[in-house]
Amino acid sequence: MKDKICKVGIIGTGGRGGGFAYLIGEREDVQITALCDPNHVRMEAFKKKFKLTSKMYKTVDEMLKKEKLDGVIITSPDYCHEANAVAALGKGANVLIDKPLATTVKGCKNIINTAKKAGKIAMMGFNLRHDPTLKRLKKIVDDGILGKVFLIENREFYDGGRTYMARWNRKYALCGGLWIHKGSHDFDVFQWLLGFPKPVKVSSVAGINVFTPENIPFKVEKGTKVGPTCHECAYNKICPDVHMYAEESGWDDKARKVDKYSKDLCIYCSDKDVHDNGIAIVEYDSGARASHMECFVTPISDRLYTLVGDRGQAEVSLHNRSILVRPRWSRETISYQIPESTGGHGGADPGIVGAFIKILKGEGDVTSTLEHGMYSTAVGQAAEISRREERMVYISELTK
Ligand SMILES: NC(=O)c1ccc[n+]([C@@H]2O[C@H](COP(=O)([O-])OP(=O)(O)OC[C@H]3O[C@@H](n4cnc5c(N)ncnc54)[C@H](O)[C@@H]3O)[C@@H](O)[C@H]2O)c1
């Protein structure tokens, strides 16, 4: 199977699909032979941008009826992961599903049951597991350098998170809330680093402090209007948060005519019901505990982890690609500086593509499973319920 050229389809030809298309374009052992997106304008622009010869389809069913593919990559919005994954697996395709698996535990279970019946390869796209700094940290943990890890803290600052308020991500109904959409990355990292204990209970507080009309960062003159999108806004020359996509083909008026999807809604004035900052805590059946803070009102993107074990402590910055280990009974420290990597998400995305292709060729096993996807969604869903109902939520309430 070494010389095999895998044929894959991309479902959802937006931003994330583009990241995968770019990386696949760099490889000789894989070709994108099919695209699927209900918006034909966006799909055609995507095909042109990545110089593809792929056939184009509006639905997964149609695509898999006509195409013989080795696998499909699902990069459609979170709200349609379940339908697309069930359709693809039901038609016998091998799938790579970007996070989150689905926006509810119930949806995850539906995908898992379909995958079991289909007996096909099904892999989660958790790119952080391929991040070079986190891979090094995982080795430090697995080598026992910290002893038994019982406490993890993560603080995530995400500059790009503000654009969530400009698109489908801003609505709970479309992404399950940001504890699922974004936090699922982090809840998976906790489980992975800790050796996959089951999460038991979750609590969170979260809310929106900044992205409201009262916090527009410039003076609005009487008789003028802000938004509704950046490209229509009278202030788009001075707004420090402007994020226009309107000129790009695929996101322009022609594409918008098809589905009314605009990616540049005003992040202050858009209707939204997700948080822009919050803190969640989780306890596992191993007795380990973790806390995850996420904030989308920041000038930089970083994840800062502290892991504490019974033999030592580690402090990590993904942005700086640094790990500092402090053995418990010593004043000495061990520093690791991880070399810079190319490819999306700090060098993590080529790892996901590589892993999927390897598995399709029969040369590797799935290590990011759908069950892992379900647990990260479960913690996110519990955190979302916790913040809304102001109570501790047991994972068993969702998985039973
Ligand atoms: N792993 C990561 O770090 C990461 C980063 C970004 C996005 N993502 C994930 O990738 C997915 C896509 O996000 P994005 O930012 O690219 O969104 P996007 O809005 O840029 O693109 C989504 C695309 O999906 C298409 N689409 C809509 N409904 C569809 C359907 N039923 N079937 C097929 N396609 C459909 C849209 O027309 C659009 O072209 C999401 O699930 C998101 O969580 C993951």
Side-chain angles (χ1 to χ4, degrees), residues 11-18 20 36-39 42-43 58-60 74-81 83-84 98-100 125-128 158 164 167-169 181-182 185 250-251 259 261 263 345 349 352:
I11 299 171
T13 57
R16 184 66 174 151
F20 280 112
C36 170
D37 197 301
N39 188 317
R42 193 166 304 133
M43 188 159 50
K58 283 194 174 169
T59 67
V60 175
I74 299 181
T75 50
S76 52
D78 302 357
Y79 57 84
C80 50
H81 281 198
N84 283 339
D98 213 310
K99 52 54 51 181
F126 281 131
N127 46 286
L128 283 178
Y158 184 39
Y164 291 159
R167 45 199 177 112
W168 51 266
N169 316 54
H181 173 73
K182 189 61 172 162
H185 275 300
W251 303 105
D259 56 11
Y261 174 30
K263 228 178 180 178
H345 290 113
D349 288 345
I352 296 195

Side-chain angles (χ1 to χ4, degrees), residues 322-368:
S322 64
I323 304 175
L324 183 76
V325 170
R326 299 176 192 276
R328 183 168 161 206
W329 292 291
S330 161
R331 294 221 167 257
E332 277 180 25
T333 55
I334 312 159
S335 295
Y336 301 81
Q337 184 62 50
I338 314 304
E340 202 157 347
S341 303
T342 53
H345 290 113
D349 288 345
I352 296 195
V353 175
F356 187 50
I357 302 308
K358 228 173 150 178
I359 297 164
L360 291 182
K361 287 180 176 180
E363 295 165 3
D365 293 321
V366 173
T367 53
S368 302

Side-chain angles (χ1 to χ4, degrees), residues 121-197:
I121 293 163
M123 169 182 159
M124 278 302 301
F126 281 131
N127 46 286
L128 283 178
R129 291 203 202 178
H130 299 271
D131 177 275
T133 307
L134 284 178
K135 272 168 74 178
R136 191 72 190 83
L137 177 66
K138 172 75 171 153
K139 180 155 171 32
I140 289 169
V141 172
D142 289 352
D143 286 349
I145 294 171
L146 307 179
K148 189 169 169 49
V149 176
F150 58 87
L151 191 65
I152 304 184
E153 180 211 50
N154 173 36
R155 289 178 293 141
E156 181 182 13
F157 303 95
Y158 184 39
D159 170 32
R162 69 199 203 288
T163 70
Y164 291 159
M165 313 300 158
R167 45 199 177 112
W168 51 266
N169 316 54
R170 76 193 193 284
K171 300 293 270 184
Y172 171 74
L174 303 181
C175 70
L178 293 181
W179 285 131
I180 290 182
H181 173 73
K182 189 61 172 162
S184 58
H185 275 300
D186 303 279
F187 301 134
D188 178 66
V189 166
F190 293 163
Q191 237 200 335
W192 175 61
L193 288 173
L194 291 167
F196 302 105

Side-chain angles (χ1 to χ4, degrees), residues 56 111 120 129 183 212-213 221 238 296 326 330 354 361:
M56 294 184 285
I111 300 174
K120 291 286 155 183
R129 291 203 202 178
T212 63
E221 301 296 338
I238 61 157
F296 307 124
R326 299 176 192 276
S330 161
K361 287 180 176 180

Side-chain angles (χ1 to χ4, degrees), residues 216-374:
I216 290 170
F218 45 81
K219 190 170 179 309
V220 180
E221 301 296 338
K222 258 202 177 137
T224 63
K225 215 172 143 266
V226 176
T229 57
C230 291
H231 73 278
E232 295 163 300
C233 181
Y235 294 90
N236 66 21
K237 297 276 182 303
I238 61 157
C239 177
D241 282 304
V242 74
H243 47 273
M244 282 198 279
Y245 292 87
E247 292 84 5
E248 283 183 41
S249 57
W251 303 105
D252 54 10
D253 273 344
K254 210 172 143 209
R256 253 196 307 274
K257 239 187 189 160
V258 178
D259 56 11
K260 300 194 173 53
Y261 174 30
S262 187
K263 228 178 180 178
D264 66 341
L265 291 176
C266 173
I267 63 177
Y268 295 96
C269 303
S270 61
D271 57 328
K272 57 181 82 70
D273 55 6
V274 296
H275 57 267
D276 61 22
N277 72 95
I279 303 169
I281 53 174
V282 193
E283 193 167 73
Y284 295 86
D285 65 358
S286 61
R289 297 180 187 92
S291 84
H292 168 58
M293 184 208 86
E294 54 186 31
C295 180
F296 307 124
V297 192
T298 65
I300 56 147
S301 295
D302 201 356
R303 280 183 167 94
L304 298 164
Y305 298 87
T306 302
L307 272 68
V308 190
D310 58 10
R311 290 289 181 275
Q313 176 170 332
E315 287 146 32
V316 182
S317 160
L318 285 205
H319 177 76
N320 295 329
R321 305 183 314 284
S322 64
I323 304 175
L324 183 76
V325 170
R326 299 176 192 276
R328 183 168 161 206
W329 292 291
S330 161
R331 294 221 167 257
E332 277 180 25
T333 55
I334 312 159
S335 295
Y336 301 81
Q337 184 62 50
I338 314 304
E340 202 157 347
S341 303
T342 53
H345 290 113
D349 288 345
I352 296 195
V353 175
F356 187 50
I357 302 308
K358 228 173 150 178
I359 297 164
L360 291 182
K361 287 180 176 180
E363 295 165 3
D365 293 321
V366 173
T367 53
S368 302
T369 68
L370 300 190
E371 278 75 16
H372 299 159
M374 183 189 77

